[in-house]
Amino acid sequence: MTSLKLVSRDDETGACHWRLHVPPLEASILDQLPQRLEDLLRSPQENRRIIDRLFPRSYEDPEEERENRRLLGESLFDARKVMLGEVRAMLAAAKREGEALDLDLDGPHVDLWLRFLNDARLVVATDLGIEKNIGSSKVDWSHPRAPQYALLEYLGAVEALILDAMAHADGFDDRFECDLDDDDIDDDDDDIDDVDGIENDDSFDDEM
């Protein structure tokens, strides 16, 4: 079972050190996600729908948007690639118990991991053509793409678990630990409102 534990707290700054435990099946999926995102970034034209969700428009005017993209050049992609490299390093450094992993999160690592989870959710949601919160959608779990819906719910639940812990850390004692159970996943109401309804991109079908 995925769980988040408060390992230590700095008495002077109040900064917290967390440990995210991820069981074997989910750990194997998380290990693969950075490569999946890197593959998308290497072939942006072949994955335009997903790329457009990762890098939303900054300007409504088409000319201004083109100029903005021209000035930014590859910097947007480079920043994402750096982030994925740092995520890879975190996963490589994670403590392993068999095929499960224990991921240490503190300071900037928390922000890094949340950005990674959010990107992964956007990719999966866009591939599925999600227009609104997955929690309000009726999913047939016998559908061939049900594993992708399950992955989307799981990523959202883990993100919500971490955010909730960060928001209420001051009220936790040093033995705090919270498990992510099936109810947390089924009832996840974290918004994906900014994911437009887009037809599935065949280049990403069944990869998650």
Side-chain angles (χ1 to χ4, degrees):
M1 180 181 296
T2 299
S3 63
L4 185 66
K5 179 180 181 180
L6 177 58
V7 177
S8 64
R9 190 199 311 264
D10 188 298
D11 291 335
E12 293 185 3
T13 67
C16 295
H17 176 192
W18 305 87
R19 181 161 297 147
L20 180 68
H21 175 77
V22 184
L25 176 60
E26 290 85 348
S28 68
I29 295 172
L30 291 180
D31 282 334
Q32 297 174 40
L33 285 177
Q35 185 62 54
R36 300 299 189 192
L37 269 66
E38 286 179 359
D39 289 344
L40 291 172
L41 294 177
R42 277 196 292 267
S43 305
Q45 295 306 320
E46 297 176 14
N47 301 282
R48 178 49 55 190
R49 295 182 181 90
I50 293 174
I51 293 297
D52 286 347
R53 295 313 307 150
L54 289 174
F55 304 99
R57 295 171 60 93
S58 299
Y59 299 93
E60 290 297 329
D61 182 83
E63 290 296 330
E64 290 183 339
E65 181 61 22
R66 277 194 292 272
E67 179 64 11
N68 181 58
R69 292 298 176 104
R70 185 187 69 80
L71 292 173
L72 290 174
E74 292 295 312
S75 62
L76 289 175
F77 288 88
D78 290 342
R80 270 323 199 284
K81 291 173 183 176
V82 168
M83 180 195 76
L84 292 173
E86 293 174 346
V87 169
R88 280 180 177 276
M90 285 183 65
L91 289 169
K95 298 179 179 65
R96 301 277 174 165
E97 299 178 2
E99 296 181 355
L101 69 84
D102 288 321
L103 193 67
D104 286 334
L105 301 173
D106 54 5
H109 289 148
V110 173
D111 179 65
L112 173 68
W113 194 248
L114 288 172
R115 287 188 289 123
F116 168 64
L117 289 174
N118 192 62
D119 275 5
R121 291 180 66 217
L122 278 175
V123 167
V124 179
T126 303
D127 183 43
L128 290 170
I130 299 295
E131 297 182 19
K132 54 187 177 181
N133 188 339
I134 183 64
S136 63
S137 302
K138 298 299 182 183
V139 178
D140 179 359
W141 295 110
S142 65
H143 190 279
R145 304 195 79 185
Q148 284 182 278
Y149 281 97
L151 173 59
L152 181 59
E153 288 198 351
Y154 176 75
L155 293 173
V158 174
E159 187 175 17
L161 177 70
I162 297 172
L163 286 170
D164 188 61
M166 301 302 107
H168 301 95
D170 290 344
F172 297 149
D173 64 33
D174 292 341
R175 296 181 301 278
F176 170 81
E177 183 169 4
C178 183
D179 295 330
L180 180 65
D181 58 29
D182 292 340
D183 290 338
D184 294 318
I185 297 176
D186 292 340
D187 296 336
D188 174 40
D189 61 357
D190 200 17
D191 290 338
I192 312 179
D193 292 338
D194 61 340
V195 180
D196 296 331
I198 303 173
E199 294 180 1
N200 293 333
D201 185 342
D202 293 338
S203 65
F204 199 68
D205 279 356
D206 302 325
E207 288 200 357
M208 287 294 188

